[in-house]
Amino acid sequence: MRVGVLELLADTEKSSWTQSARYYLFTKQYASIMPQATSVWSRQMGHETFYATWYGNGDPKALLPDDLDVVFIAAYTQASALAYALGKLYRQEKALTAIGGPHAKSFPNDCLRFFDLVVVNFDKTTLADILGGQYTPGSVVSSKRPLDDIPTVEERLPEIKRSA
């Protein structure tokens, strides 16, 4: 299975060159661990996995290859409109779409309008269930167990390098 993981990191409008420079230098420090963990776990399960982080420049859809089977998007509320647009685009391409992150946790019902699955709490077993087709589209997915196993920095190093 071809799995894409895309984290959207967006900020408010940058009105001066100093704000733009600060944003460019510091935003990369905000890459989240769960999109990276999703990528690592998917890879460990034997799936062809693609990970990318979008910082507000260029076409975010171009960061992942076409013909994906499943797409996970992580987004803050500031990037929710873009996440919704990407969700619709990937749905049109017949990919199973899932959104996670702070926006999904805060507004799961709204996210269901644009995504097949909304992930509120997540772990490796939940990912295996999603990739195994255990959830029907229109579901809000939440792990029943607390997260107790996060991939190490060494395991996440390919994702960390891509996000930097």
Tab-separated table of all heavy atoms in Angstrom, residues 79-104:
chain	number	residue	atom	x	y	z
A	79	ALA	N	-4.197	26.149	9.459
A	79	ALA	CA	-4.031	25.513	8.148
A	79	ALA	C	-5.221	24.632	7.781
A	79	ALA	O	-5.160	23.870	6.816
A	79	ALA	CB	-2.754	24.682	8.133
A	80	SER	N	-6.325	24.744	8.508
A	80	SER	CA	-7.451	23.841	8.282
A	80	SER	C	-8.099	24.015	6.910
A	80	SER	O	-8.500	23.024	6.287
A	80	SER	CB	-8.505	23.995	9.379
A	80	SER	OG	-9.039	25.309	9.374
A	81	ALA	N	-8.195	25.236	6.419
A	81	ALA	CA	-8.801	25.436	5.095
A	81	ALA	C	-7.975	24.729	4.017
A	81	ALA	O	-8.530	24.076	3.127
A	81	ALA	CB	-8.918	26.921	4.777
A	82	LEU	N	-6.664	24.831	4.115
A	82	LEU	CA	-5.797	24.124	3.177
A	82	LEU	C	-5.928	22.614	3.355
A	82	LEU	O	-5.996	21.870	2.376
A	82	LEU	CB	-4.341	24.554	3.365
A	82	LEU	CG	-3.317	23.821	2.510
A	82	LEU	CD1	-3.594	24.013	1.026
A	82	LEU	CD2	-1.916	24.281	2.868
A	83	ALA	N	-5.974	22.154	4.591
A	83	ALA	CA	-6.142	20.720	4.848
A	83	ALA	C	-7.445	20.219	4.221
A	83	ALA	O	-7.474	19.148	3.600
A	83	ALA	CB	-6.139	20.446	6.348
A	84	TYR	N	-8.521	20.986	4.367
A	84	TYR	CA	-9.802	20.598	3.787
A	84	TYR	C	-9.714	20.505	2.265
A	84	TYR	O	-10.236	19.562	1.657
A	84	TYR	CB	-10.895	21.587	4.175
A	84	TYR	CG	-11.297	21.554	5.637
A	84	TYR	CD1	-12.128	22.526	6.149
A	84	TYR	CD2	-10.858	20.564	6.506
A	84	TYR	CE1	-12.529	22.512	7.474
A	84	TYR	CE2	-11.248	20.540	7.831
A	84	TYR	CZ	-12.086	21.515	8.312
A	84	TYR	OH	-12.480	21.497	9.618
A	85	ALA	N	-9.074	21.478	1.650
A	85	ALA	CA	-8.920	21.457	0.189
A	85	ALA	C	-8.118	20.227	-0.248
A	85	ALA	O	-8.484	19.541	-1.212
A	85	ALA	CB	-8.246	22.735	-0.295
A	86	LEU	N	-7.036	19.941	0.470
A	86	LEU	CA	-6.239	18.757	0.135
A	86	LEU	C	-7.031	17.474	0.353
A	86	LEU	O	-6.936	16.534	-0.436
A	86	LEU	CB	-4.958	18.742	0.968
A	86	LEU	CG	-3.923	19.806	0.623
A	86	LEU	CD1	-2.842	19.872	1.691
A	86	LEU	CD2	-3.321	19.531	-0.748
A	87	GLY	N	-7.822	17.446	1.415
A	87	GLY	CA	-8.670	16.278	1.665
A	87	GLY	C	-9.619	16.012	0.508
A	87	GLY	O	-9.782	14.875	0.064
A	88	LYS	N	-10.236	17.064	-0.007
A	88	LYS	CA	-11.141	16.904	-1.152
A	88	LYS	C	-10.392	16.435	-2.395
A	88	LYS	O	-10.875	15.579	-3.138
A	88	LYS	CB	-11.870	18.217	-1.438
A	88	LYS	CG	-12.963	18.527	-0.429
A	88	LYS	CD	-13.746	19.744	-0.824
A	88	LYS	CE	-14.723	19.370	-1.905
A	88	LYS	NZ	-15.736	20.378	-2.164
A	89	LEU	N	-9.196	16.989	-2.629
A	89	LEU	CA	-8.414	16.594	-3.804
A	89	LEU	C	-8.022	15.117	-3.732
A	89	LEU	O	-8.161	14.380	-4.717
A	89	LEU	CB	-7.161	17.458	-3.935
A	89	LEU	CG	-7.373	18.891	-4.388
A	89	LEU	CD1	-6.070	19.679	-4.295
A	89	LEU	CD2	-7.911	18.930	-5.810
A	90	TYR	N	-7.538	14.689	-2.577
A	90	TYR	CA	-7.135	13.287	-2.441
A	90	TYR	C	-8.342	12.349	-2.491
A	90	TYR	O	-8.245	11.239	-3.006
A	90	TYR	CB	-6.321	13.073	-1.168
A	90	TYR	CG	-4.892	13.532	-1.311
A	90	TYR	CD1	-4.418	14.621	-0.601
A	90	TYR	CD2	-4.009	12.887	-2.174
A	90	TYR	CE1	-3.105	15.050	-0.733
A	90	TYR	CE2	-2.700	13.303	-2.311
A	90	TYR	CZ	-2.251	14.385	-1.591
A	90	TYR	OH	-0.953	14.801	-1.735
A	91	ARG	N	-9.473	12.788	-1.973
A	91	ARG	CA	-10.694	11.979	-2.074
A	91	ARG	C	-11.096	11.781	-3.534
A	91	ARG	O	-11.515	10.701	-3.928
A	91	ARG	CB	-11.847	12.672	-1.347
A	91	ARG	CG	-12.089	12.211	0.037
A	91	ARG	CD	-13.304	12.952	0.560
A	91	ARG	NE	-13.846	12.339	1.732
A	91	ARG	CZ	-14.850	12.837	2.420
A	91	ARG	NH1	-15.413	13.966	2.027
A	91	ARG	NH2	-15.302	12.241	3.477
A	92	GLN	N	-10.971	12.848	-4.340
A	92	GLN	CA	-11.297	12.740	-5.762
A	92	GLN	C	-10.387	11.739	-6.458
A	92	GLN	O	-10.776	11.137	-7.456
A	92	GLN	CB	-11.187	14.105	-6.447
A	92	GLN	CG	-12.272	15.064	-6.063
A	92	GLN	CD	-12.057	16.458	-6.631
A	92	GLN	OE1	-11.012	16.762	-7.198
A	92	GLN	NE2	-13.053	17.319	-6.476
A	93	GLU	N	-9.176	11.578	-5.952
A	93	GLU	CA	-8.231	10.621	-6.522
A	93	GLU	C	-8.420	9.220	-5.935
A	93	GLU	O	-7.609	8.337	-6.149
A	93	GLU	CB	-6.798	11.106	-6.289
A	93	GLU	CG	-6.490	12.387	-7.020
A	93	GLU	CD	-5.116	12.951	-6.683
A	93	GLU	OE1	-4.356	12.315	-5.912
A	93	GLU	OE2	-4.791	14.035	-7.192
A	94	LYS	N	-9.480	9.035	-5.151
A	94	LYS	CA	-9.857	7.738	-4.575
A	94	LYS	C	-8.931	7.251	-3.474
A	94	LYS	O	-8.866	6.055	-3.180
A	94	LYS	CB	-9.984	6.661	-5.660
A	94	LYS	CG	-10.910	7.024	-6.794
A	94	LYS	CD	-12.323	7.218	-6.316
A	94	LYS	CE	-13.235	7.496	-7.513
A	94	LYS	NZ	-14.270	8.431	-7.225
A	95	ALA	N	-8.188	8.159	-2.842
A	95	ALA	CA	-7.359	7.785	-1.701
A	95	ALA	C	-8.216	7.854	-0.436
A	95	ALA	O	-9.117	8.690	-0.336
A	95	ALA	CB	-6.169	8.723	-1.571
A	96	LEU	N	-7.940	6.979	0.503
A	96	LEU	CA	-8.556	7.070	1.815
A	96	LEU	C	-7.885	8.235	2.523
A	96	LEU	O	-6.659	8.296	2.599
A	96	LEU	CB	-8.337	5.782	2.613
A	96	LEU	CG	-8.890	5.786	4.039
A	96	LEU	CD1	-10.421	5.775	4.008
A	96	LEU	CD2	-8.353	4.607	4.815
A	97	THR	N	-8.662	9.185	3.021
A	97	THR	CA	-8.095	10.381	3.640
A	97	THR	C	-8.355	10.381	5.139
A	97	THR	O	-9.438	10.013	5.591
A	97	THR	CB	-8.683	11.663	3.016
A	97	THR	OG1	-10.117	11.650	3.184
A	97	THR	CG2	-8.331	11.771	1.548
A	98	ALA	N	-7.337	10.800	5.894
A	98	ALA	CA	-7.462	10.901	7.348
A	98	ALA	C	-6.797	12.188	7.798
A	98	ALA	O	-5.746	12.566	7.283
A	98	ALA	CB	-6.806	9.704	8.020
A	99	ILE	N	-7.422	12.862	8.737
A	99	ILE	CA	-6.837	14.080	9.308
A	99	ILE	C	-6.631	13.858	10.796
A	99	ILE	O	-7.435	13.212	11.470
A	99	ILE	CB	-7.722	15.329	9.052
A	99	ILE	CG1	-7.004	16.594	9.540
A	99	ILE	CG2	-9.103	15.170	9.646
A	99	ILE	CD1	-7.670	17.904	9.139
A	100	GLY	N	-5.516	14.395	11.281
A	100	GLY	CA	-5.202	14.353	12.698
A	100	GLY	C	-4.590	15.668	13.103
A	100	GLY	O	-4.451	16.586	12.298
A	101	GLY	N	-4.201	15.767	14.343
A	101	GLY	CA	-3.585	16.989	14.835
A	101	GLY	C	-4.556	17.809	15.661
A	101	GLY	O	-5.692	17.409	15.897
A	102	PRO	N	-4.108	18.974	16.097
A	102	PRO	CA	-4.931	19.803	16.981
A	102	PRO	C	-6.289	20.196	16.395
A	102	PRO	O	-7.285	20.223	17.110
A	102	PRO	CB	-4.060	21.043	17.212
A	102	PRO	CG	-2.680	20.600	16.930
A	102	PRO	CD	-2.782	19.538	15.888
A	103	HIS	N	-6.334	20.499	15.101
A	103	HIS	CA	-7.622	20.902	14.516
A	103	HIS	C	-8.610	19.734	14.527
A	103	HIS	O	-9.777	19.910	14.885
A	103	HIS	CB	-7.438	21.431	13.096
A	103	HIS	CG	-8.724	21.899	12.498
A	103	HIS	ND1	-9.330	23.069	12.890
A	103	HIS	CD2	-9.528	21.349	11.558
A	103	HIS	CE1	-10.463	23.221	12.220
A	103	HIS	NE2	-10.600	22.194	11.407
A	104	ALA	N	-8.147	18.556	14.157
A	104	ALA	CA	-9.027	17.387	14.129
A	104	ALA	C	-9.541	17.048	15.523
A	104	ALA	O	-10.709	16.677	15.685
A	104	ALA	CB	-8.285	16.194	13.540
